Amino acid sequence: MTTSPSDDGCFFELNYLGKSSVHQQRSFMSAEVGSNVTLHCSYGTEAARYYWYKQSLGQKLQIISISYKFDKSGEFHDEFQDNPRFTVKTNDGKSQLNIFHLKPSDTGTYFCASGISFVFEFGEGVTVSVKNPVLENTSWIRQSESGTVQMGSSVTLNCTVQTGSCGGEHSVYWFRHSGESHPGLIYTHGGSSDQCGKSPNTQTHTCMYDLPIRNLNKSHAGTYYCAVISCGQVLFGNGTKLDVEGEAVSLSLVYFLSAALIFTIILSVLLAFTLHKMHKRNSCQTSVFCYQVHRVAGDLHYAAVNVNQLSRPRRHRKSTESECVYSAMTHTLN
């Protein structure tokens, strides 16, 4: 939760952290010049005011409209005021922003928000890319092919831009869109022209930009978009999808080896205990002699010899018994 001052000097809170109750349906839209788009937003909780904002690449948020609880059409501000290309309809916890006859300047990220008292909740935002078919033959942007990489390795994403005869400086932006989050700005070159070259035959300018990513992990997975602002127009790439694999296999291997080690230890202990019991039980079942020497009154001594026979079948057990041989020895004192 952060605070920001409003135009009248008061402060309001922006709910950027945590789970928001404001949701937008799509995260990226591509449309051609002259077409129409409709952006949708839903509000999980009832609010007093509903907002639409626009953020152009590298620029601050611009407020488009404010709709109050019982106002369905909305009140527009600044350059959007009295502009028939923009309309808003808010009803039953939902709001939609309509943009007609798209222009290249309409390219940007559009946010919806709700406000109760001084607490604001923002949606994830939807990025609209407006393409001009007339300029596609001379101006275009290409990105690296999508692919799968191993965890811990490194990769460099490429962005190649051709801007026709316009040789002005470029502002380059990289966005990432993962399954857990909407597109977010992760890197910008900002006014770079030292990586550009001009073709002597066609007088077109071609620029190349790289985004190195090292020590990859699961959090790097997603689709990376390259966007370039050049000569008054915004060019968006089609995106490079990056899949990172290896963690699941490694974890499975670790779990398997750990389980195998534990099983081996338990089995070894059980085997050792079993062998010990067997050895103790069979130690007196072999042919050994046990002597017991006793002393009685006087000088008479006798010894008992116990002969333990080997285990034999049941039919021989009756005829085989332990025998004790007693010997006596007397000693007469002189």
Side-chain angles (χ1 to χ4, degrees), residues 258-325:
S258 300
L261 178 61
I262 295 173
F263 175 77
T264 303
I265 294 174
I266 295 175
L267 183 61
S268 300
V269 172
L270 290 176
L271 288 175
F273 179 75
T274 303
L275 289 175
H276 176 72
K277 294 284 289 184
M278 292 177 62
H279 176 73
K280 185 176 180 182
R281 184 178 60 192
N282 297 331
S283 61
C284 287
Q285 293 180 1
T286 58
S287 295
V288 296
F289 294 93
C290 301
Y291 296 92
Q292 296 180 352
V293 180
H294 301 273
R295 181 177 180 178
V296 295
D299 295 321
L300 179 64
H301 299 264
Y302 71 90
V305 181
N306 186 18
V307 181
N308 295 325
Q309 302 294 330
L310 293 172
S311 299
R312 296 181 180 181
R314 182 175 298 176
R315 63 177 176 271
H316 297 297
R317 289 182 181 175
K318 292 183 179 180
S319 61
T320 304
E321 296 180 355
S322 298
E323 296 179 357
C324 291
V325 180

Side-chain angles (χ1 to χ4, degrees), residues 113-186:
S114 65
I116 302 177
S117 183
F118 296 102
V119 178
F120 278 40
E121 285 190 293
F122 275 78
E124 302 89 343
V126 54
T127 300
V128 178
S129 173
V130 182
K131 297 183 177 181
N132 190 344
V134 178
L135 299 178
E136 284 189 353
N137 294 329
T138 58
S139 300
W140 45 259
I141 182 171
R142 294 194 182 103
Q143 294 187 226
S144 305
E145 295 292 332
S146 300
T148 302
V149 293
Q150 296 294 324
M151 283 190 58
S153 61
S154 300
V155 68
T156 300
L157 304 183
N158 305 114
C159 178
T160 304
V161 184
Q162 179 177 296
T163 58
S165 58
C166 177
E169 287 191 346
H170 298 162
S171 294
V172 184
Y173 301 85
W174 286 92
F175 295 85
R176 183 179 66 199
H177 176 208
S178 65
E180 299 178 353
S181 62
H182 284 66
L185 180 65
I186 60 174

Side-chain angles (χ1 to χ4, degrees), residues 88-259:
V88 170
K89 182 179 180 181
T90 303
N91 192 16
D92 297 331
K94 296 181 180 180
S95 179
Q96 65 180 39
L97 172 64
N98 302 296
I99 309 176
F100 303 99
H101 308 296
L102 284 169
K103 297 181 179 180
S105 60
D106 294 326
T107 296
T109 303
Y110 292 81
F111 297 90
C112 62
S114 65
I116 302 177
S117 183
F118 296 102
V119 178
F120 278 40
E121 285 190 293
F122 275 78
E124 302 89 343
V126 54
T127 300
V128 178
S129 173
V130 182
K131 297 183 177 181
N132 190 344
V134 178
L135 299 178
E136 284 189 353
N137 294 329
T138 58
S139 300
W140 45 259
I141 182 171
R142 294 194 182 103
Q143 294 187 226
S144 305
E145 295 292 332
S146 300
T148 302
V149 293
Q150 296 294 324
M151 283 190 58
S153 61
S154 300
V155 68
T156 300
L157 304 183
N158 305 114
C159 178
T160 304
V161 184
Q162 179 177 296
T163 58
S165 58
C166 177
E169 287 191 346
H170 298 162
S171 294
V172 184
Y173 301 85
W174 286 92
F175 295 85
R176 183 179 66 199
H177 176 208
S178 65
E180 299 178 353
S181 62
H182 284 66
L185 180 65
I186 60 174
Y187 185 74
T188 175
H189 289 276
S192 299
S193 60
D194 53 342
Q195 295 174 298
C196 300
K198 184 173 67 173
S199 173
N201 297 327
T202 61
Q203 298 299 314
T204 59
H205 290 78
T206 302
C207 305
M208 298 183 65
Y209 302 97
D210 296 332
L211 179 65
I213 308 175
R214 299 178 177 86
N215 194 22
L216 288 161
N217 55 52
K218 283 292 185 180
S219 64
H220 291 110
T223 303
Y224 292 76
Y225 295 94
C226 174
V228 177
I229 300 178
S230 175
C231 302
Q233 63 176 333
V234 180
L235 301 175
F236 268 90
N238 293 326
T240 299
K241 185 177 181 181
L242 198 64
D243 293 321
V244 181
E245 67 177 15
E247 183 178 17
V249 176
S250 299
L251 286 177
S252 299
L253 182 60
V254 170
Y255 294 151
F256 174 78
L257 293 177
S258 300

